[in-house]
């Protein structure tokens, strides 16, 4: 986030370029912040896919979280779809983490290992 001085010095309002990115102040069409964040996320991974079960904040309903998959966001969607079909449940992708409804750790571990990922069970 830009400092207060940088925010005050910037252009107040302009319709010349349309909507601008709040991070880099470039027009949305020219903004590369999302790509840079995705590259930073991929660089921080250690190559191990972690499976964990979580119920916190879900009114007791459990979900299986798949973290650390070394794929970009557009490649993550087909993988999530295939895993959800394999388990026969629903799910979502949030911030590079795949959520699969229910406790599906054993099924997902076998499927991911068949796809040549190094898998580790983590958490409760």
């Amino acid at each position: 986030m830009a400092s207060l001085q940088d925010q005050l010095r910037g252009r107040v309002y302009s319709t010349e370029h349309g909507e601008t990115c709040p991070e880099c102040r470039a027009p949305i069409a020219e903004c590369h912040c999302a790509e840079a964040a995705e590259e930073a996320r991929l660089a921080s991974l250690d190559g191990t896919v972690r499976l964990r079960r979580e119920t916190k904040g879900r009114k007791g309903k459990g979900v299986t979280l798949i973290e650390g998959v070394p794929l970009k966001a557009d490649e993550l969607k087909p993988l999530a779809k295939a895993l959800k079909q394999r388990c026969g449940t629903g799910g979502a992708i949030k911030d590079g983490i795949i959520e699969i409804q229910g406790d599906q750790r054993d099924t997902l571990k076998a499927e991911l290992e068949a796809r040549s990922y190094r898998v580790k069970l983590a958490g409760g």
Side-chain angles (χ1 to χ4, degrees):
M1 184 90 197
S3 71
L4 180 61
Q5 291 295 326
D6 291 338
Q7 291 175 7
L8 294 175
R9 287 186 195 131
R11 183 176 292 149
V12 176
Y13 182 77
S14 174
T15 58
E16 182 178 355
H17 300 290
E19 192 173 350
T20 59
C21 173
E23 297 287 327
C24 64
R25 295 185 170 244
I28 292 291
E30 299 171 9
C31 177
H32 300 289
C33 294
E35 294 171 8
E38 184 70 18
E39 290 174 9
R41 182 187 73 83
L42 289 175
S44 68
L45 301 177
D46 62 354
T48 302
V49 177
R50 288 177 174 77
L51 297 175
R52 66 184 170 105
R53 183 173 178 266
E54 185 176 277
T55 59
K56 190 173 189 178
R58 303 177 198 285
K59 298 182 182 177
K61 307 284 185 189
V63 296
T64 303
L65 300 178
I66 305 169
E67 299 176 332
V69 180
L71 296 175
K72 291 193 175 197
D74 56 341
E75 298 169 350
L76 207 57
K77 283 185 178 183
L79 176 64
K81 182 178 179 181
L83 294 175
K84 290 188 294 185
Q85 286 178 343
R86 176 79 166 94
C87 296
T89 62
I93 301 175
K94 296 180 183 174
D95 300 325
I97 299 173
I98 302 173
E99 296 181 358
I100 305 288
Q101 294 174 352
D103 187 3
Q104 310 286 341
R105 290 178 289 182
D106 296 331
T107 307
L108 291 171
K109 182 176 182 184
E111 181 67 23
L112 289 169
E113 285 175 344
R115 293 174 182 251
S116 70
Y117 289 106
R118 188 172 58 183
V119 181
K120 181 178 182 181
L121 294 178

